[in-house]
Amino acid sequence: YGVTTIGSCGSDEKIELIKSTFGYDHGINYHKVDDKEALKKELKELAPKGLNMVFENVGGFQFDACFDSLAAGGRVAICGLIAQYNNEKFEPTSLQLSQMIYTAQRIEGFVCFPWLTGQKGNFLQDMSKWLKEGKVTGVEETFYEGIDNWAVAFKSLFEKNDNKGKVVVRI
């Protein structure tokens, strides 16, 4: 498709994983960028013409840096704001709506529910088939054993750790 993909990960090991297993071109270790300007600098080096598509699930300065780095016609799908989930009060973004007008940029909210329930597409059927056919490979999961560990598993979503892929509580 002629695209360049950039992933955001919490360790250099995870960057190597997304590049070697999932085919990403580049990765940024978000623990090594302290603020919006540092992330914008990294993004400018990796995508000098700007970002065309962003799948946003972090929020905070990461969203602000990606939005400021968006190319004309760029799109953002927002499915989460994990950087803010533990805050008592959500921090506002530095979103400049005027930036979107003449550059024809778009932001759209996204939730998985319609696809998981079959209201849109056939995700569960299709993904099951693709996994069986070997079309989707390299899927990694971090397992926690037993319902008694659900709180530990949930808490691990918000902490620096060695988790890879989805966090699963095996009952």
Side-chain angles (χ1 to χ4, degrees):
Y1 295 99
V3 300
T4 299
T5 53
I6 305 167
S8 176
C9 300
S11 72
D12 292 340
E13 179 187 5
K14 290 177 184 178
I15 288 173
E16 198 50 46
L17 173 73
I18 65 167
K19 289 168 65 177
S20 64
T21 303
F22 301 117
Y24 281 70
D25 297 299
H26 307 284
I28 296 173
N29 183 337
Y30 57 77
H31 291 295
K32 293 183 177 179
V33 289
D34 296 328
D35 58 29
K36 174 180 154 179
E37 294 307 316
L39 182 53
K40 282 173 55 175
K41 181 180 177 199
E42 292 271 336
L43 292 170
K44 183 72 172 170
E45 288 175 16
L46 299 174
K49 294 181 182 178
L51 305 174
N52 294 301
M53 297 170 60
V54 175
F55 188 78
E56 174 62 54
N57 61 357
V58 177
F61 79 80
Q62 290 90 341
F63 169 80
D64 290 337
C66 288
F67 185 74
D68 285 356
S69 302
L70 208 57
R75 302 181 304 273
V76 180
I78 299 181
C79 72
L81 299 169
I82 199 164
Q84 304 237 11
Y85 291 163
N86 291 327
N87 294 351
E88 286 186 30
K89 189 171 111 178
F90 265 43
E91 297 173 24
T93 69
S94 63
L95 181 65
Q96 296 295 321
L97 294 176
S98 59
Q99 174 183 328
M100 299 174 65
I101 297 169
Y102 297 106
T103 57
Q105 297 168 328
R106 277 190 325 211
I107 299 175
E108 184 173 346
F110 172 84
V111 293
C112 298
F113 186 76
W115 282 270
L116 295 175
T117 60
Q119 294 172 8
K120 289 188 175 185
N122 299 306
F123 175 78
L124 293 176
Q125 278 181 294
D126 292 343
M127 185 57 71
S128 295
K129 180 181 170 195
W130 297 333
L131 283 166
K132 288 176 187 170
E133 293 173 352
K135 291 181 178 178
V136 176
T137 60
V139 176
E140 299 224 11
E141 297 169 323
T142 299
F143 290 97
Y144 290 82
E145 298 298 333
I147 194 70
D148 292 341
N149 284 315
W150 79 267
V152 175
F154 182 73
K155 189 176 176 187
S156 78
L157 295 171
F158 305 99
E159 299 173 335
K160 185 175 180 178
N161 55 54
D162 293 328
N163 288 353
K164 292 187 186 75
K166 294 292 179 191
V167 171
V168 178
V169 176
R170 195 171 1 217
I171 301 175

